[in-house]
Amino acid sequence: SQQGEEDPQALSIQEGENATMNCSYKTSINNLQWYRQNSGRGLVHLILIRSNEREKHSGRLRVTLDTSKKSSSLLITASRAADTASYFCATDATGTASKLTFGTGTRLQVTL
Amino acid sequence: EAQVTQNPRYLITVTGKKLTVTCSQNMNHEYMSWYRQDPGLGLRQIYYSMNVEVTDKGDVPEGYKVSRKEKRNFPLILESPSPNQTSLYFCASSLFGGGAADTQYFGPGTRLTVL
């Protein structure tokens, strides 16, 4: 079964607004990553957060991790039309360091 | 330019006709893997390889074969394709391993249709 599940499945916002996506997972993890996928294209790595970290920033991206709730969130601030894409969380469960499991993704639409 | 390449990008074939999707990376990465992406199911790992001549099954290996004779290449082989293998396929590589501690670099994808 899927390790990560994103919420919401789809999100539509206007340019300039913030977008928040959530990821929940089922078992203890070593690390969690977020990836972005433009329609039909390959995934691109955005940010990595380790299990002992609670928050990380990269440009307009802010990721939080709550291991007690087994959840992570990705915040994109001041969104742009170019942020339109699907966003996936990916985890490696403790004891499975060679295996990355992806969630089903959140489809973000940013309109002008 | 550092990249993962896949060929072909699009392929329409018929049931039972053997096919190979090639994957090559120029970053000297140890780890390579194949995923399939289906609507509502996200990405599921098919096979992965930790190094040359070392391959292992992912979550959905049935109907697929792989080989890793050279570090840079990791072809995906469908010996007898069936319609349920119609999907979007991605090859990925990373420097050391497949876990979330290592950035995965993805190819552009191969859209396969099996009639």
Side-chain angles (χ1 to χ4, degrees):
Chain A
S1 61
Q2 293 293 118
Q3 168 75 323
E5 297 290 340
E6 282 90 343
D7 171 61
Q9 290 188 341
L11 179 61
S12 183
I13 60 173
Q14 290 193 316
E15 202 171 50
E17 294 180 335
N18 295 342
T20 299
M21 289 158 267
N22 303 296
C23 167
S24 59
Y25 55 90
K26 296 175 183 173
T27 62
S28 297
I29 62 170
N30 299 313
N31 307 279
L32 184 144
Q33 298 177 343
W34 284 91
Y35 285 81
R36 165 198 168 120
Q37 182 184 33
N38 287 83
S39 182
R41 312 282 291 271
L43 280 72
V44 175
H45 179 258
L46 294 176
I47 197 165
L48 157 71
I49 188 164
R50 303 189 190 282
S51 59
N52 60 355
E53 296 175 313
R54 292 297 167 256
E55 187 171 311
K56 226 170 167 182
H57 296 255
S58 177
R60 293 184 295 113
L61 305 180
R62 172 176 163 252
V63 169
T64 61
L65 179 63
D66 187 335
T67 53
S68 66
K69 294 181 180 178
K70 292 186 172 58
S71 67
S72 173
S73 67
L74 171 66
L75 168 67
I76 304 174
T77 60
S79 63
R80 306 165 182 168
D83 294 327
T84 295
S86 291
Y87 293 82
F88 295 86
C89 67
T91 57
D92 57 354
T94 305
T96 62
S98 297
K99 182 172 168 52
L100 192 63
T101 303
F102 288 83
T104 50
T106 292
R107 191 168 64 253
L108 173 66
Q109 176 78 41
V110 182
T111 56
L112 296 172
Chain B
E1 180 190 354
Q3 59 183 350
V4 178
T5 57
Q6 294 178 229
N7 283 292
R9 295 288 314 280
Y10 303 91
L11 179 60
I12 300 174
T13 189
V14 295
T15 299
K17 186 176 182 181
K18 180 179 179 180
L19 67 92
T20 299
V21 184
T22 64
C23 172
S24 183
Q25 50 92 5
N26 63 359
M27 295 170 278
N28 202 36
H29 283 172
E30 301 282 336
Y31 183 94
M32 297 185 75
S33 61
W34 277 101
Y35 294 88
R36 61 179 287 175
Q37 185 177 30
D38 302 288
L41 296 177
L43 276 85
R44 294 177 293 167
Q45 191 179 57
I46 303 170
Y47 268 96
Y48 65 93
S49 170
M50 296 293 290
N51 210 328
V52 175
E53 301 293 359
V54 180
T55 63
D56 209 345
K57 297 177 181 178
D59 293 320
V60 288
E62 295 77 21
Y64 305 95
K65 286 176 58 178
V66 293
S67 68
R68 187 93 181 271
K69 293 184 170 62
E70 304 167 282
K71 196 172 188 178
R72 63 182 294 131
N73 296 323
F74 191 44
L76 179 69
I77 303 157
L78 284 72
E79 294 270 2
S80 183
S82 62
N84 64 12
Q85 292 179 298
T86 292
S87 187
L88 180 58
Y89 290 86
F90 290 101
C91 180
S93 73
S94 63
L95 188 57
F96 295 118
D102 206 356
T103 297
Q104 301 296 312
Y105 294 83
F106 282 81
T110 295
R111 188 168 293 281
L112 172 66
T113 301
V114 183
L115 302 174

